[in-house]
Amino acid sequence: MEKPRTHERGFRLLMEKYQERLYWHVRRMVHEHEDANDVIQNCFLKVYRNIHNFERKSKLYTWLYRIAANEAITFLKKRQRRSAASLEDEESSPVYSLQADPFFDGDEAEERLMQALAELPEKQRLVFNMRYFEELSYKEISEVLETSVGALKASYHHAVKKIEAFFKAEL
Amino acid sequence: MSERDKIKEELEGLSPLLSKMKGESRHPFRVPEGYFDGLPDEVLRRARAEEGLVRDGLPAQGRAKKAGGLAGWLQWWLMPRQAIGLAMALVLLAAGAYLFWAQSGLSAAGEVLAGISEEEAKAYVSENIGEFGLDLMVEAAIVSEEGIPGVEVLPEIDEVEIDRYLDDYLEDISLDELEELL
């Protein structure tokens, strides 16, 4: 059995190496810093509890990415249910949240891009973010999301077309 | 061709507008200062707190399992949830055993009776008629749809007739005889 201090030291190293990449991945999904903070903390708590279950069948980073993506989607689904239950008002819409977020300083175009992204289904948004912002190959995305490359390409293409249509409708 | 170039080329083909936006965009999100420096400490603090909760939240179970041996095993089984479960299991086992044996007894009796002929049964009833109550005999007669030989069930008598008989009888009886009867 490993000693707790060794476990903690190893975990701290792992966090220092991957926390920023995973945080930005989550932040692009949930937008607000406070939400991203909750999600990323829950994600790393899961990693802390289950690191001994990591089977080395995939890369460590792929495994971490998968946990973060699942946590973000779970969070978004919960938020959707809450919004539906409270008959979503203006204040709970993603765009309003972004405008009120002191840690968002994007220009108008970036804000509209976030607005367009918020309208995509979670999985499609995830694929778009991983390809467009994080510049991952389809193979890497496939390993994280356990989806075929063909399905991912179709998903990304659909997402791009929907976002483009959103911008054209705004003009 | 690098992955970045592949992505750029793909995006230009799909949407020149988004491709242009990507080229001009910067990171629109920020984090509080020093956020990433404090994040590992915050997660570890929560992890330790959870571990403490797990240890404090399941003391009896944890200790009993860790204690090992017969004492630990008994301690674990005597915890309320396990004890109730064990008691219910024993009650169900006892009920099951009772039903099983009762069923076996009934079928054994049935096997013995099947070996007795009707003649033998009638002879047994006639010889031991004193041991049979009227209810039992009536019931037997109904079940078999035949009367029991040597036994006549009283015919149905109207209550008015009984009253008339008693009045006639009481008229003929003296007070002394009546007191004796009562």
Side-chain angles (χ1 to χ4, degrees), chain A residues 8 12 19 23 27 33 37 41-42 45 49 102-103 105 110 131-132 135 137-138 157 161 164, chain B residues 3-4 7 10 14-15 18 22 26 28-32 35-36 41-42 44 46 48 50:
Chain A
E8 280 192 10
R12 194 180 285 278
Q19 62 178 357
Y23 171 86
R27 180 77 184 269
H33 167 70
N37 182 38
Q41 284 197 22
N42 289 340
L45 274 172
R49 286 194 295 257
F103 300 109
D105 63 358
E110 282 154 348
R131 185 79 177 154
Y132 183 88
E135 299 183 332
S137 69
Y138 282 119
H157 287 207
K161 291 294 175 193
E164 195 183 35
Chain B
E3 194 61 39
R4 178 170 287 185
I7 292 168
E10 180 188 36
L14 283 170
S15 168
L18 270 181
K22 185 171 163 58
R26 57 197 173 86
F29 296 111
R30 288 188 293 116
V31 289
Y35 170 70
F36 289 115
D41 286 331
E42 182 58 23
L44 281 169
R46 280 184 63 188
R48 284 187 207 115
E50 272 187 13

Side-chain angles (χ1 to χ4, degrees), chain B residues 105-138:
Chain B
L106 279 176
S107 55
E111 281 171 23
V112 170
L113 287 174
I116 298 172
S117 70
E118 196 177 340
E119 298 301 318
E120 284 172 323
K122 283 177 181 173
Y124 174 80
V125 172
S126 296
E127 281 169 22
N128 300 278
I129 194 68
E131 292 178 22
F132 291 85
L134 183 60
D135 292 342
L136 186 62
M137 289 189 285
V138 170

